Structures are given as structure tokens and as C-alpha cells.
Amino acid sequence: MGVDIVVLVLGVVLVIAVAAYAIRVRPRRAAGVEEAGREEPARARPGPEGLGARVRALFAGGAPGDAEWAGLEELLVRADVGPATATRIVKEVRERFAPGDDPRALIAEELVAILGRDHGLELPSDRLAVILVVGVNGSGKTTTIGKLAARLAAEGRTVSLAGGDTFRAAASEQLEVWAARAGAHLVAQERGADPAAVAFDAVTSAIARGVDVLIVDTAGRLHTRTPLMDELRKVRRVLEKAGGRPDEVLLVLDATTGQNGIAQAAAFAEAVEVTGVALTKLDGTAKGGIVLAVRERLGVPVKLIGTGEGIGDLETFDPHAFAERILGG
């Protein structure tokens, strides 16, 4: 009897030991088998960054066919160049392309051709120069006005600002901050005042003070039943009656706005005869390809670009530099 118990106990101990060993070893073996039998996943290669790099990658296979040209058009459309403009660029590049050519360089040349020559601000020096600034709310209009005022002041010109955006909350306060930073004189009235009246007062004040340049802010939208474009036309008429005919009418356009920018530009151009575009928010990943479509359809040149939030982050537009910016690496 005693022997039977001992044997039974030893059997139980042996079973427990075997089970414990199996628990420890089986995962290791399974893991080893899995690691040995599994193919190492292919590491994702960093894709080309920038439109230019993507173009070169698209043409890396040799002589491009219909698929490559269609792919190029798609890349341009994704860069907000616009379908019509993208089609034109592809057509021109395809006709010029020869084996060994750099497609990126050809596209850059087409971009510059569309954008045209450099277009700086054209302001008189023998009388009050007036710049009327228009654009939808949120496009960076007030910031652009502040940067432009600082830039003109740095050139030795005296500057006045007219707070014509009288409907947006805190618009005058924001413009006042920029006026102080730029060393400009501000003409403003209470919220809800007639924007045309503000424009009239600003012109008469600027002439009386012997100011060199008056920059007139306008509403991006109205809280009244008066259509915005009608109000802008009125402001322009009043400026002219007061002796301050606009020398420049700048449309502030957000570089990230996409194809909506075309509709915006068309509406403003029809209402107030836009002379140029000030492109904002071109820092970060924004490329601003929409400007090509605006330039093609409306014939309005880009004159200024905003590249950051700093007071000095406003540059004169350079078509060659802009083409490089759009294409990237």
C-alpha cells in the first residue's frame, strides 16, 4: 500500500514537471518557428517629398507614355493648379519633352511663363497713394495690411490706415495694434459705422497730414442686407470723390483656399477692378498653386506673398522663386 502511494505521488510530480517544462519551452519554440518562417516585411521607403520629386519619380522609368502624362496632370491638379491650367501645362511640356530632359525643369519654365514677369506695387510719389485692400474674412487681410504698412514705413514713407471693416468684431482693435507696430496713423470709427464714411475721413485726414500712402481696409462680409460687393463699389466711389483714387486694389487670397479662390477672385475683380493679389499663409505645406489658375482665368498678377506671421514676413512676388516653391524638391 505504501509503495503504491509513493509511486502515485512520484507520477503526479513527474506530470507536473513535464507540464511546467512544456509551458516554458513551447512559446519559445513557437516564437522561434514564427520568426524563422516569417519574411521580414519590406521597409517602407520614404516617398518623394515635393511636387518636383514626385514628377521625377513618375518619369524615372524612361520614355513617358500616356499613363505618365496622365499621372503628371493628376499631380498638378492635386497641387491646386486647377484642371484647365494643369491640362495646358502637360500639353506644353509634352510637346517640348525629349529623352534626357528634366521634366521638373520644363514644368518650372511653364509656371514662370504663366505667372509672368515680376509685378511690384505701382505707387505714385508726388501725391497721396491709395491702396484698397479686399478679401474674405479669415484670409489674412488685416495681417497683410499691417505687414505692408511696416514695409512702406521702413522705406521711409509715412503711412495711414483706414479701418473700413466696421462690422467685424475687434477688427479696429486688431488694426490699431498693427498700426502701432508699423508706426502708422489710424483712422477709425465706432463699430457698425458706414465704411464709406471711414474711407472719406481717412482720405481727407491723410491729405491734410501730408501722408505718403493710405491703406484702406474693407469688410470681408457684412451683417446687413447690403451685398458685400455693392458696399465695396461704394467705398471705391467715395475714395475717388474725396481725392483718393485707388492706385492699387489688392485682393488678399489664402494660399490654402483651393479652387474656391477662383470664385472669390472673380467676384472681387468684377466689383472693384483688382490690380493684384497678395497671397497669404504660404508658410508650412501651403503651395499656392491656385494662383496659377487665378492668373490664367483673370489675368490678375500676384504682387505680394506672406510667408509667416512676423511683421517682416511679406515679400515682393518673384515668379521664379514661386515656381520653385510650388515644385519643392
Side-chain angles (χ1 to χ4, degrees), residues 48 146 153 155 161 210 228 233 240 244 261 281 287:
E155 294 174 357
L161 307 181
L228 172 60
R233 293 187 188 97
E240 293 175 351
K281 305 178 185 179
K287 295 299 182 184

Side-chain angles (χ1 to χ4, degrees), residues 228-302:
L228 172 60
M229 299 305 165
D230 288 347
E231 184 63 42
L232 294 178
R233 293 187 188 97
K234 178 183 175 183
V235 169
R236 177 166 186 140
R237 289 195 303 269
V238 169
L239 285 171
E240 293 175 351
K241 289 180 179 178
R245 176 179 57 83
D247 299 286
E248 292 278 3
V249 180
L250 294 179
L251 168 63
V252 178
L253 192 63
D254 184 341
T256 65
T257 191
Q259 293 300 305
N260 290 335
I262 297 178
Q264 290 179 22
F268 283 104
E270 181 181 355
V272 288
E273 301 176 18
V274 172
T275 62
V277 170
L279 188 67
T280 64
K281 305 178 185 179
L282 202 58
D283 53 332
T285 58
K287 295 299 182 184
I290 185 62
V291 172
L292 292 160
V294 171
R295 179 71 170 136
E296 280 250 277
R297 291 183 54 178
L298 302 178
V300 178
V302 183

Side-chain angles (χ1 to χ4, degrees), residues 169-195:
S172 293
E173 289 80 358
Q174 291 174 5
L175 201 60
E176 184 177 6
V177 171
W178 277 107
R181 294 180 67 186
H185 176 252
L186 174 64
V187 176
Q189 294 185 16
E190 69 279 1
R191 186 180 175 190
D194 182 4

